[in-house]
Amino acid sequence: MGRIKMIDPENASPEVKEAIEQHLAQGYKLTNEKKTLLHSVPCFKAIEESSYAVDRELQKIIGKRAADIYEYAISDTNECMVCSLYFRDLLKREGIDIRTLEFTEEENLLIEYGKALAKDPMHVPSELKDRMQKKYNDHDFVVITTMGIMMLANNYFNEIAEVDLPKHLSDQ
């Protein structure tokens, strides 16, 4: 059981119910992480809603597959079981087996950058940042880096709060 009890959507405050309704109306699911974050609607919006907005921007730049692979690489390297299993399942539903996939040159660069962010965000090698900036303009570099930071926030929250794995992912 998670360190923090998840909210019960049925018995939540009107503010929480409204946040849930808005989130579901956008086509998103109510995960265990979200039910934990919803103890504070501003915290939920800061981590979840903001990361979805940044992810949409990221997908415009590198595409959905590369975005999902980048976010998986961060979560896997950061050893966040909730997020890494979430992305592995997401990729699997898209017909992608992350363990056997041959990555493109761009995906390999994004994986390398994501792993570097996850290992030590304060000391990403200059040479790697140079390669990223050679490939991506300033706007794109900002979006890619911000999404990496958002993934780290999700990862750290899940690990610190000991968020339960969803039942359908706990057997993987």
Side-chain angles (χ1 to χ4, degrees), residues 2-3 39 58 89 115 127-128 139 154 157-158 169:
R3 179 166 292 279
H39 281 282
L58 178 66
D89 183 63
K115 287 181 175 186
E127 170 274 325
L128 178 53
H139 169 269
N154 277 280
F157 180 81
N158 281 314
L169 295 180

Side-chain angles (χ1 to χ4, degrees), residues 48-60:
E48 286 300 319
E49 295 291 331
S50 296
S51 66
Y52 280 109
V54 175
D55 187 58
R56 287 189 297 273
E57 188 75 14
L58 178 66
Q59 288 182 35
K60 290 177 191 173

Side-chain angles (χ1 to χ4, degrees), residues 13-65:
S13 71
E15 178 189 26
V16 170
K17 285 182 178 182
E18 181 180 336
I20 291 170
E21 287 174 20
Q22 289 174 358
H23 192 68
L24 295 175
Q26 294 176 64
Y28 302 124
K29 295 179 181 175
L30 193 58
T31 64
N32 291 349
E33 176 187 7
K34 295 170 189 177
K35 286 189 267 186
T36 305
L37 274 165
L38 278 162
H39 281 282
S40 167
V41 171
C43 292
F44 169 78
K45 288 181 177 182
I47 292 181
E48 286 300 319
E49 295 291 331
S50 296
S51 66
Y52 280 109
V54 175
D55 187 58
R56 287 189 297 273
E57 188 75 14
L58 178 66
Q59 288 182 35
K60 290 177 191 173
I61 298 165
I62 64 174
K64 180 166 178 28
R65 172 183 144 139

Side-chain angles (χ1 to χ4, degrees), residues 15-168:
E15 178 189 26
V16 170
K17 285 182 178 182
E18 181 180 336
I20 291 170
E21 287 174 20
Q22 289 174 358
H23 192 68
L24 295 175
Q26 294 176 64
Y28 302 124
K29 295 179 181 175
L30 193 58
T31 64
N32 291 349
E33 176 187 7
K34 295 170 189 177
K35 286 189 267 186
T36 305
L37 274 165
L38 278 162
H39 281 282
S40 167
V41 171
C43 292
F44 169 78
K45 288 181 177 182
I47 292 181
E48 286 300 319
E49 295 291 331
S50 296
S51 66
Y52 280 109
V54 175
D55 187 58
R56 287 189 297 273
E57 188 75 14
L58 178 66
Q59 288 182 35
K60 290 177 191 173
I61 298 165
I62 64 174
K64 180 166 178 28
R65 172 183 144 139
D68 291 344
I69 290 168
Y70 172 63
E71 293 163 30
Y72 170 77
I74 293 166
S75 297
D76 188 54
T77 303
N78 207 27
E79 299 180 359
C80 176
M81 190 65 70
V82 172
C83 289
S84 60
L85 287 177
Y86 168 83
F87 279 105
R88 189 180 306 158
D89 183 63
L90 176 70
L91 289 162
K92 184 179 177 181
R93 285 185 275 122
E94 294 172 2
I96 298 169
D97 183 347
I98 197 74
R99 295 167 293 189
T100 61
L101 182 64
E102 289 192 33
F103 302 108
T104 66
E105 185 177 318
E106 179 179 30
E107 290 166 347
N108 278 319
L109 178 60
L110 291 163
I111 289 167
E112 184 180 355
Y113 187 64
K115 287 181 175 186
L117 284 173
K119 287 178 185 170
D120 188 356
M122 299 302 291
H123 298 98
V124 174
S126 291
E127 170 274 325
L128 178 53
K129 289 187 275 189
D130 290 345
R131 285 190 287 134
M132 288 291 293
Q133 289 184 288
K134 185 176 180 182
K135 171 83 175 151
Y136 301 103
N137 64 35
D138 290 345
H139 169 269
D140 297 353
F141 184 77
V142 166
V143 172
I144 293 165
T145 301
T146 300
M147 190 65 235
I149 293 165
M150 297 303 293
M151 281 310 308
L152 291 174
N154 277 280
N155 293 173
Y156 290 136
F157 180 81
N158 281 314
E159 291 303 310
I160 293 165
E162 300 173 21
V163 171
D164 291 331
L165 286 174
K167 286 181 180 31
H168 77 282

